[in-house]
Every structure is written in C-alpha cells, then in structure tokens.
C-alpha cells in the first residue's frame, strides 16, 4: 500500500489556531498583540513570494507587521542600521531578514546583529546553541516544523533511527539537533557521504534537505519509514519537485510529505509561533 500523505497545510492550520488563541489570551489580559518586522532586500521572485506569504499570515492571525523593502543596492551598513533600530524598538517582538541576501552583504554578520530575543528565524548562534544544549528557546523554523509534522503522525522518536540528508546551517544541522533533542539516534549525511543508499537503509525517520531534485531514490527508503522532504525545486517542465523520488518512495514509506504542501506551510506557521513566543518572553508571560 502507498504511504499516507502528511498534510502540511492541515498541521499548519492547527498551529495557526494555537497562535490565534495565544494572541487572544494576551489581548484579553491587556497585553499587546505580537509584532513582526520583515526585511526584504531586492526583488528576487522567490523571496518576494515567501515574504508576501509571511506578511499575509501575520494579517490573518492578528500579528502586527512592519514591512521594510530595501533596494538590492542597499549597503551592509544601511541594513545593519535598520536592524539596530528594530532591536531597540519595544513594539517589535521579532525581526526576520529574508535570505538569501545580495553577495555584497555578509549574511553571518546580519544574522548575528539581530538580538537573540527577536531572532524569530532561530538562526542566531545563541539560539542554535541553546538547542544544542537541550534548552531550546527560539528554534529554527523549518526543523521545528518538521518535528510538528512528525508528532502529527504519532512519531515516538525515542531510540528511532533518523537520517538527515543535508548539513546546511539553516536546516540540516539544526534538524539533527531537534531529532537528538526528541530522543532519536541521528546520522547526518552530506556532500562527502560515500554511499547514501547504505546510510538510508536503516532510516526509520528520513529528513531530506539537500536542494537536489530526485537525489534520494525510492528504492533506498526503508519499508515503513517516515519521509520528510524539505527540498523544493522547479523541474524543466515547470513542476515543483522535492529531493525525494516521490512515487517510488511512497510505495515503501508509511508516511511521506508531498511537495508542495508538506514542509513549506510549516515553516511559516512556526515563524508565527516563534513571534508569539518572543512576545511572551519579552513580557514574562511565557509558560
């Protein structure tokens, strides 16, 4: 039998309701709604779509939104000045700088300039370090969303063999930390991996985030595994595809995410949850 699809849109909707309820509780107690500042540099089509989606979701959930659109020619100093202003603004709970940035801007410096308490993307070394120490605070949104998806299908984590394909700073590495935190036994594969099929053979949980369409063949999936495909690319025919050879993998997996409609909605949902949590941390109402 084909594996069951994990509906990222449905799980994201549950997170949205949780956030909406949290905001309503805040406002009923006289506290302000959370507020998110989004910074977009340039006019990259994909970045424009992502930022618009985030801003629209803020509006739907009742999260305040400050929208800052800067030209691609903006200097690093000018961008950092905007971040400094937002760091100092008590009305702003979260700051998001849409990546990637133009080549003349140092992404690491930009990420580290955002105050850790307003780092709702969860990329600041302080927040990644807290995750490593098993005391997570603001967590990287995509890996955090993957954990929510896995929980939605009853994943138990403890002692389960998990394989992460890809070791990027924003997905692969924090994904491994999230799975370790949840109790899984984790292997991370990357561009120097010699035999990916061999490494995947025992993977009961497989998270693929390499950005290479069709990298993981369906025949490599362990029967009964849960497969999360983070990758998204456009094929020569214009179709959105993931890093996993979907149909053959679905014939072996117990659960699998589609592309699109799997991980993507969760990244935005967890950004909204992080923004609410940042507001709660600021005023001491976090549980």
């Amino acid at each position: 039998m084909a594996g069951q699809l994990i509906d990222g849109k449905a799980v994201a909707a549950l997170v949205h309701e949780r956030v909406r309820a949290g905001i309503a509780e805040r406002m009923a107690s006289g506290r302000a709604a959370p507020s998110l500042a989004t910074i977009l540099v340039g006019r990259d089509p994909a970045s424009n779509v992502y930022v618009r989606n985030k801003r629209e979701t803020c509006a739907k959930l009742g999260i305040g939104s400050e929208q800052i659109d800067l030209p691609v020619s903006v200097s690093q100093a000018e961008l950092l000045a905007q971040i400094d202003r937002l760091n100092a603004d008590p009305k702003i709970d979260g700051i998001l700088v849409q990546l990637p940035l133009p080549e003349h801007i140092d992404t690491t410096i930009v990420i580290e300039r955002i105050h850790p308490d307003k780092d709702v993307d969860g990329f600041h070394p302080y927040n990644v370090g807290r995750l490593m120490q098993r005391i997570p605070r603001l967590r990287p949104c995509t890996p955090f969303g993957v954990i929510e998806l896995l929980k939605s299908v009853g994943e138990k984590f403890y002692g389960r063999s998990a394989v992460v394909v890809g070791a990027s700073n924003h997905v692969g590495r924090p994904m491994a930390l999230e799975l370790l935190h949840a109790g899984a036994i984790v292997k991370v594969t990357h561009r120097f991996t010699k035999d990916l099929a061999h490494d995947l053979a025992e993977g009961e949980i497989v998270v693929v985030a390499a950005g290479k369409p069709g990298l993981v063949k369906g025949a490599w999936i362990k029967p009964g595994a849960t497969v999360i495909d983070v990758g998204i690319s456009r094929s020569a025919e214009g179709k959105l595809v993931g890093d996993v050879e979907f149909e053959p993998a679905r014939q072996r997996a117990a659960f699998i995410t589609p592309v699109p409609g799997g991980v993507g909605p969760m990244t935005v949902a967890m950004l909204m949850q992080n923004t609410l949590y940042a507001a709660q941390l600021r005023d001491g109402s976090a549980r």
Side-chain angles (χ1 to χ4, degrees), residues 77-145:
E78 290 169 323
L79 176 56
L80 293 177
Q82 287 281 359
I83 294 171
D84 290 343
R85 177 182 67 80
L86 295 167
N87 280 335
D89 188 342
K91 298 188 297 296
I92 298 296
D93 296 298
I95 303 170
L96 179 144
V97 178
Q98 183 63 41
L99 303 180
L101 291 168
E103 291 185 0
H104 67 279
I105 295 177
D106 188 320
T107 299
T108 300
I109 291 175
V110 170
I111 289 172
E112 292 186 350
R113 193 63 161 252
I114 299 170
H115 193 286
D117 290 349
K118 297 191 178 190
D119 168 42
V120 288
D121 253 340
F123 292 160
H124 193 285
Y126 173 81
N127 285 316
V128 177
R130 286 189 65 101
L131 178 58
M132 185 180 71
Q133 293 288 335
R134 295 181 288 182
I135 46 172
R137 199 167 186 177
L138 293 172
R139 298 153 79 164
C141 297
T142 298
F144 195 11

Coordinates of all heavy atoms in Angstrom, one line a residue, residues 77-145:
A77 N 26.0 48.5 5.8 CA 25.8 49.4 7.0 C 24.4 49.9 7.1 O 23.8 50.0 8.2 CB 26.8 50.6 6.8
E78 N 23.7 50.2 6.0 CA 22.3 50.6 6.0 C 21.4 49.5 6.5 O 20.5 49.8 7.3 CB 21.9 51.1 4.6 CG 22.6 52.4 4.1 CD 22.4 52.7 2.7 OE1 22.3 51.7 1.9 OE2 22.2 53.9 2.3
L79 N 21.7 48.3 6.1 CA 20.8 47.2 6.5 C 21.0 47.0 8.0 O 20.1 46.8 8.8 CB 21.2 45.9 5.8 CG 20.5 44.6 6.2 CD1 19.0 44.8 6.2 CD2 20.9 43.5 5.3
L80 N 22.3 47.0 8.5 CA 22.5 46.8 9.9 C 21.9 47.9 10.7 O 21.4 47.7 11.9 CB 24.0 46.8 10.2 CG 24.8 45.6 9.6 CD1 26.3 45.7 9.8 CD2 24.2 44.3 10.2
A81 N 21.9 49.2 10.2 CA 21.2 50.3 10.9 C 19.7 50.0 11.1 O 19.2 50.4 12.1 CB 21.5 51.6 10.1
Q82 N 19.1 49.4 10.1 CA 17.7 49.1 10.2 C 17.5 48.0 11.3 O 16.5 48.1 12.1 CB 17.2 48.5 8.9 CG 17.0 49.6 7.8 CD 15.7 50.3 7.9 OE1 14.9 50.1 8.9 NE2 15.4 51.3 7.0
I83 N 18.4 47.0 11.3 CA 18.3 46.0 12.4 C 18.5 46.6 13.8 O 17.7 46.3 14.7 CB 19.3 44.9 12.1 CG1 18.9 44.1 10.8 CG2 19.3 43.9 13.3 CD1 19.9 43.2 10.4
D84 N 19.4 47.5 13.9 CA 19.7 48.2 15.2 C 18.4 48.9 15.6 O 18.1 48.9 16.8 CB 20.9 49.1 15.1 CG 22.2 48.4 14.9 OD1 22.3 47.2 15.2 OD2 23.2 49.1 14.5
R85 N 17.8 49.6 14.7 CA 16.6 50.4 15.0 C 15.5 49.4 15.5 O 14.8 49.7 16.5 CB 16.1 51.1 13.8 CG 14.8 51.9 14.0 CD 14.3 52.6 12.8 NE 13.9 51.6 11.7 CZ 12.7 51.0 11.7 NH1 11.8 51.2 12.7 NH2 12.4 50.2 10.7
L86 N 15.3 48.3 14.9 CA 14.3 47.4 15.2 C 14.6 46.7 16.6 O 13.7 46.4 17.4 CB 14.1 46.3 14.1 CG 13.5 46.9 12.8 CD1 13.7 45.8 11.7 CD2 12.1 47.3 13.0
N87 N 15.9 46.4 16.8 CA 16.3 45.8 18.1 C 15.9 46.7 19.2 O 15.5 46.2 20.3 CB 17.8 45.6 18.1 CG 18.3 44.4 17.4 OD1 17.6 43.4 17.2 ND2 19.6 44.4 16.9
A88 N 16.0 48.0 19.0 CA 15.8 49.0 20.1 C 14.3 49.4 20.2 O 13.9 50.0 21.2 CB 16.6 50.3 19.8
D89 N 13.5 48.9 19.3 CA 12.0 49.3 19.3 C 11.3 48.3 20.2 O 11.1 47.1 19.8 CB 11.5 49.2 17.9 CG 10.1 49.8 17.8 OD1 9.4 49.9 18.8 OD2 9.7 50.1 16.6
P90 N 10.7 48.8 21.3 CA 10.0 47.9 22.2 C 8.7 47.3 21.6 O 8.1 46.4 22.1 CB 9.7 48.7 23.4 CG 9.7 50.1 22.9 CD 10.7 50.2 21.8
K91 N 8.2 47.9 20.5 CA 7.0 47.5 19.9 C 7.2 46.3 18.9 O 6.2 45.7 18.5 CB 6.3 48.6 19.2 CG 5.9 49.8 20.0 CD 5.1 50.8 19.3 CE 5.9 51.5 18.1 NZ 7.0 52.2 18.6
I92 N 8.4 46.0 18.6 CA 8.8 44.9 17.7 C 9.3 43.7 18.5 O 10.2 43.8 19.3 CB 9.9 45.4 16.7 CG1 9.4 46.5 15.8 CG2 10.3 44.2 15.8 CD1 8.2 46.2 14.9
D93 N 8.6 42.6 18.3 CA 8.9 41.4 19.0 C 9.9 40.5 18.2 O 10.7 39.8 18.8 CB 7.7 40.6 19.4 CG 6.8 41.3 20.4 OD1 7.2 41.6 21.5 OD2 5.7 41.7 20.0
G94 N 9.7 40.5 16.9 CA 10.5 39.6 16.1 C 11.0 40.3 14.9 O 10.4 41.2 14.3
I95 N 12.2 39.9 14.4 CA 12.9 40.5 13.2 C 13.2 39.4 12.3 O 13.9 38.4 12.7 CB 14.1 41.3 13.6 CG1 13.8 42.4 14.6 CG2 14.8 41.9 12.3 CD1 15.1 43.1 15.2
L96 N 12.8 39.5 11.1 CA 13.1 38.5 10.0 C 13.8 39.2 8.9 O 13.2 40.1 8.3 CB 11.9 37.7 9.6 CG 12.1 36.7 8.5 CD1 11.2 35.5 8.7 CD2 11.8 37.2 7.1
V97 N 15.0 38.8 8.5 CA 15.6 39.3 7.3 C 15.6 38.1 6.3 O 16.1 37.0 6.5 CB 17.1 39.7 7.5 CG1 17.7 40.1 6.2 CG2 17.2 40.8 8.6
Q98 N 14.8 38.3 5.2 CA 14.7 37.3 4.2 C 16.0 36.9 3.5 O 16.7 37.8 3.0 CB 13.6 37.7 3.1 CG 13.3 36.6 2.1 CD 12.7 35.4 2.7 OE1 11.9 35.4 3.6 NE2 13.1 34.2 2.2
L99 N 16.3 35.6 3.5 CA 17.5 35.2 2.8 C 17.1 34.5 1.5 O 16.0 34.0 1.4 CB 18.2 34.2 3.7 CG 18.6 34.7 5.1 CD1 19.3 33.5 5.9 CD2 19.5 35.9 5.0
P100 N 18.0 34.5 0.5 CA 19.4 34.9 0.6 C 19.5 36.4 0.4 O 18.6 37.1 -0.1 CB 20.0 34.2 -0.6 CG 18.9 34.0 -1.6 CD 17.7 33.8 -0.8
L101 N 20.7 37.0 0.8 CA 21.0 38.4 0.6 C 21.9 38.6 -0.5 O 22.6 37.6 -0.9 CB 21.6 38.9 1.9 CG 20.7 39.0 3.1 CD1 21.5 39.3 4.4 CD2 19.6 40.1 3.0
P102 N 22.0 39.8 -1.1 CA 22.9 40.0 -2.2 C 24.4 39.7 -1.8 O 24.7 39.7 -0.6 CB 22.8 41.5 -2.4 CG 21.4 41.8 -1.9 CD 21.2 40.9 -0.8
E103 N 25.2 39.4 -2.7 CA 26.6 38.9 -2.4 C 27.4 39.9 -1.7 O 28.4 39.5 -1.0 CB 27.3 38.5 -3.7 CG 26.7 37.3 -4.4 CD 27.5 36.8 -5.6 OE1 28.5 37.5 -6.0 OE2 27.1 35.8 -6.2
H104 N 27.1 41.2 -1.8 CA 28.0 42.2 -1.1 C 27.6 42.4 0.3 O 28.3 43.1 1.0 CB 27.8 43.6 -1.8 CG 26.5 44.2 -1.7 ND1 25.4 43.9 -2.5 CD2 26.0 45.2 -0.9 CE1 24.4 44.6 -2.2 NE2 24.7 45.4 -1.2
I105 N 26.6 41.6 0.8 CA 26.3 41.7 2.2 C 26.6 40.4 2.9 O 26.4 39.3 2.4 CB 24.8 42.0 2.4 CG1 24.4 43.4 1.8 CG2 24.3 41.8 3.8 CD1 23.0 43.7 1.9
D106 N 27.3 40.5 4.1 CA 27.7 39.3 4.8 C 26.6 38.8 5.6 O 26.2 39.4 6.6 CB 28.9 39.7 5.7 CG 29.6 38.5 6.4 OD1 28.8 37.5 6.8 OD2 30.8 38.4 6.5
T107 N 26.0 37.6 5.2 CA 24.8 37.1 5.9 C 25.1 36.8 7.4 O 24.2 37.0 8.2 CB 24.4 35.8 5.2 OG1 24.0 36.2 3.8 CG2 23.2 35.2 5.8
T108 N 26.3 36.3 7.7 CA 26.6 35.9 9.1 C 26.6 37.1 10.0 O 26.0 37.1 11.1 CB 28.0 35.2 9.1 OG1 28.0 34.0 8.4 CG2 28.4 34.9 10.6
I109 N 27.1 38.2 9.5 CA 27.1 39.5 10.3 C 25.7 39.9 10.5 O 25.3 40.4 11.6 CB 27.9 40.6 9.6 CG1 29.4 40.2 9.7 CG2 27.7 41.9 10.3 CD1 30.3 41.1 8.9
V110 N 24.8 39.8 9.5 CA 23.4 40.3 9.6 C 22.7 39.4 10.6 O 22.0 39.9 11.5 CB 22.8 40.2 8.2 CG1 21.2 40.4 8.3 CG2 23.3 41.3 7.3
I111 N 22.8 38.1 10.5 CA 22.2 37.2 11.4 C 22.6 37.5 12.9 O 21.8 37.5 13.8 CB 22.4 35.7 11.1 CG1 21.7 35.4 9.8 CG2 22.0 34.8 12.2 CD1 22.0 34.0 9.2
E112 N 23.9 37.7 13.1 CA 24.4 37.9 14.4 C 24.0 39.3 15.0 O 24.0 39.5 16.2 CB 25.9 37.7 14.5 CG 26.3 36.3 14.3 CD 27.8 36.0 14.4 OE1 28.5 37.0 14.5 OE2 28.2 34.8 14.4
R113 N 23.6 40.2 14.1 CA 23.2 41.6 14.5 C 21.8 41.6 15.2 O 21.5 42.4 16.0 CB 23.3 42.5 13.3 CG 23.2 44.0 13.7 CD 24.4 44.4 14.6 NE 24.6 45.8 14.6 CZ 25.6 46.5 13.9 NH1 26.5 45.8 13.2 NH2 25.7 47.8 14.0
I114 N 21.0 40.6 14.7 CA 19.6 40.6 15.3 C 19.7 40.1 16.7 O 20.4 39.1 17.1 CB 18.7 39.6 14.5 CG1 18.6 40.1 13.0 CG2 17.4 39.4 15.1 CD1 18.0 39.0 12.1
H115 N 19.0 40.8 17.6 CA 19.1 40.4 19.1 C 18.5 39.0 19.2 O 17.5 38.7 18.6 CB 18.3 41.4 19.9 CG 18.6 41.3 21.4 ND1 18.1 40.2 22.1 CD2 19.3 42.0 22.2 CE1 18.5 40.3 23.4 NE2 19.2 41.4 23.5
P116 N 19.2 38.1 20.0 CA 18.7 36.8 20.1 C 17.2 36.7 20.5 O 16.5 35.8 20.1 CB 19.6 36.2 21.1 CG 20.9 36.9 21.0 CD 20.4 38.3 20.7
D117 N 16.8 37.6 21.3 CA 15.4 37.6 21.8 C 14.4 37.9 20.7 O 13.2 37.7 20.9 CB 15.2 38.6 23.0 CG 15.9 38.1 24.3 OD1 16.3 36.9 24.3 OD2 16.0 38.9 25.2
K118 N 14.8 38.5 19.6 CA 14.0 38.9 18.5 C 14.3 38.0 17.3 O 13.7 38.3 16.2 CB 14.1 40.4 18.2 CG 13.7 41.3 19.3 CD 13.6 42.8 18.9 CE 13.1 43.6 20.0 NZ 12.8 45.0 19.6
D119 N 15.1 37.0 17.4 CA 15.6 36.2 16.3 C 14.5 35.1 16.1 O 14.7 33.9 16.4 CB 16.9 35.6 16.7 CG 17.3 34.5 15.7 OD1 17.2 34.6 14.5 OD2 17.9 33.5 16.2
V120 N 13.4 35.5 15.5 CA 12.3 34.5 15.3 C 12.6 33.5 14.2 O 11.8 32.5 14.1 CB 11.0 35.2 15.1 CG1 10.5 35.9 16.3 CG2 11.1 36.3 13.9
D121 N 13.6 33.7 13.4 CA 14.0 32.7 12.4 C 14.8 31.6 13.2 O 15.0 30.5 12.6 CB 14.9 33.3 11.3 CG 14.2 33.3 10.0 OD1 13.2 32.6 9.8 OD2 14.6 34.1 9.1
G122 N 15.3 31.9 14.3 CA 16.1 30.9 15.1 C 17.5 30.6 14.6 O 18.1 29.6 14.9
F123 N 18.1 31.6 13.8 CA 19.4 31.3 13.2 C 20.6 31.9 14.0 O 21.7 31.5 13.7 CB 19.4 32.0 11.8 CG 18.5 31.4 10.8 CD1 18.1 32.1 9.7 CD2 18.0 30.1 10.9 CE1 17.3 31.6 8.7 CE2 17.2 29.5 10.0 CZ 16.8 30.3 8.9
H124 N 20.3 32.7 15.0 CA 21.4 33.3 15.8 C 22.2 32.2 16.5 O 21.6 31.3 17.0 CB 20.8 34.4 16.8 CG 21.9 35.2 17.4 ND1 22.8 34.8 18.3 CD2 22.2 36.5 17.1 CE1 23.6 35.8 18.7 NE2 23.3 36.8 18.0
P125 N 23.5 32.3 16.6 CA 24.3 31.3 17.3 C 23.8 31.0 18.7 O 23.9 29.9 19.2 CB 25.7 31.8 17.2 CG 25.8 32.7 16.0 CD 24.4 33.3 15.9
Y126 N 23.3 32.1 19.4 CA 22.8 31.9 20.7 C 21.6 30.9 20.8 O 21.6 30.0 21.6 CB 22.4 33.3 21.3 CG 21.7 33.2 22.7 CD1 22.4 33.1 23.8 CD2 20.3 33.2 22.8 CE1 21.8 33.0 25.1 CE2 19.7 33.1 24.0 CZ 20.5 33.0 25.1 OH 19.8 32.9 26.4
N127 N 20.7 31.1 19.8 CA 19.5 30.2 19.8 C 19.9 28.8 19.3 O 19.3 27.8 19.9 CB 18.4 30.9 19.0 CG 17.8 32.0 19.7 OD1 17.5 31.9 20.9 ND2 17.5 33.1 19.0
V128 N 20.8 28.7 18.4 CA 21.2 27.4 17.9 C 22.0 26.7 19.1 O 21.8 25.5 19.3 CB 22.1 27.5 16.7 CG1 22.6 26.1 16.3 CG2 21.2 28.1 15.5
G129 N 22.8 27.5 19.8 CA 23.5 26.9 20.9 C 22.6 26.4 22.0 O 22.8 25.4 22.6
R130 N 21.5 27.1 22.3 CA 20.5 26.7 23.3 C 19.9 25.4 22.9 O 19.7 24.5 23.7 CB 19.4 27.8 23.5 CG 19.9 29.0 24.3 CD 18.8 29.8 24.7 NE 17.8 29.2 25.6 CZ 17.8 29.4 26.9 NH1 18.7 30.2 27.5 NH2 16.9 28.7 27.7
L131 N 19.6 25.2 21.6 CA 19.1 24.0 21.1 C 20.1 22.8 21.3 O 19.7 21.7 21.7 CB 18.7 24.1 19.6 CG 18.1 22.9 18.9 CD1 16.9 22.3 19.6 CD2 17.8 23.2 17.4
M132 N 21.3 23.1 21.0 CA 22.4 22.1 21.2 C 22.5 21.7 22.7 O 22.7 20.5 23.0 CB 23.7 22.7 20.7 CG 24.8 21.6 20.8 SD 26.4 22.3 20.2 CE 26.8 23.4 21.5
Q133 N 22.3 22.7 23.6 CA 22.4 22.4 25.0 C 21.1 21.8 25.6 O 20.9 21.6 26.8 CB 22.7 23.7 25.8 CG 24.1 24.2 25.5 CD 25.2 23.4 26.1 OE1 24.9 22.7 27.1 NE2 26.3 23.5 25.6
R134 N 20.1 21.5 24.7 CA 18.8 20.9 25.1 C 18.0 21.9 26.0 O 17.2 21.4 26.8 CB 19.0 19.6 25.8 CG 19.6 18.5 24.9 CD 19.8 17.2 25.6 NE 20.9 17.3 26.5 CZ 21.3 16.2 27.3 NH1 20.6 15.1 27.1 NH2 22.2 16.3 28.1
I135 N 18.1 23.2 25.7 CA 17.3 24.2 26.4 C 16.8 25.1 25.3 O 17.1 26.3 25.4 CB 18.1 24.9 27.5 CG1 19.5 25.4 27.0 CG2 18.2 24.1 28.8 CD1 20.2 26.3 28.0
P136 N 16.0 24.6 24.4 CA 15.6 25.5 23.2 C 14.8 26.7 23.6 O 14.0 26.6 24.6 CB 14.9 24.5 22.3 CG 14.4 23.4 23.2 CD 15.4 23.3 24.3
R137 N 15.0 27.7 22.9 CA 14.2 28.9 23.1 C 13.5 29.3 21.8 O 12.4 28.8 21.5 CB 15.1 30.1 23.6 CG 14.3 31.2 24.3 CD 15.2 32.1 25.1 NE 14.5 33.0 25.9 CZ 15.1 33.9 26.7 NH1 16.4 33.9 26.8 NH2 14.3 34.8 27.4
L138 N 14.1 30.1 21.0 CA 13.6 30.4 19.6 C 14.3 29.4 18.7 O 15.5 29.5 18.5 CB 13.8 31.9 19.2 CG 13.0 32.9 20.1 CD1 13.4 34.3 19.7 CD2 11.5 32.7 19.8
R139 N 13.5 28.5 18.1 CA 14.0 27.4 17.3 C 14.0 27.6 15.8 O 13.0 28.2 15.3 CB 13.3 26.1 17.7 CG 13.4 25.9 19.2 CD 12.3 25.1 19.8 NE 12.4 23.6 19.5 CZ 11.7 22.7 20.2 NH1 10.9 23.1 21.1 NH2 11.8 21.5 19.8
P140 N 15.0 27.2 15.1 CA 14.9 27.3 13.6 C 13.6 26.8 13.0 O 13.2 25.7 13.3 CB 16.1 26.5 13.1 CG 17.1 26.6 14.3 CD 16.2 26.5 15.5
C141 N 12.9 27.6 12.2 CA 11.5 27.4 11.9 C 11.3 26.1 11.1 O 10.3 25.3 11.4 CB 10.9 28.5 11.1 SG 10.9 30.1 12.1
T142 N 12.1 25.8 10.1 CA 11.8 24.6 9.3 C 12.1 23.3 10.1 O 11.2 22.5 10.1 CB 12.7 24.6 8.0 OG1 12.3 25.8 7.2 CG2 12.5 23.4 7.2
P143 N 13.2 23.1 10.8 CA 13.3 21.9 11.6 C 12.3 21.8 12.7 O 11.7 20.7 12.9 CB 14.7 22.1 12.2 CG 15.5 23.0 11.3 CD 14.4 23.9 10.7
F144 N 11.9 22.9 13.3 CA 10.8 22.9 14.3 C 9.5 22.5 13.7 O 8.8 21.7 14.3 CB 10.7 24.4 14.9 CG 9.9 24.5 16.1 CD1 9.6 23.4 16.9 CD2 9.6 25.8 16.6 CE1 8.9 23.6 18.1 CE2 8.9 25.9 17.8 CZ 8.5 24.8 18.5
G145 N 9.3 22.9 12.5 CA 8.1 22.5 11.8 C 8.1 21.0 11.4 O 7.0 20.3 11.5

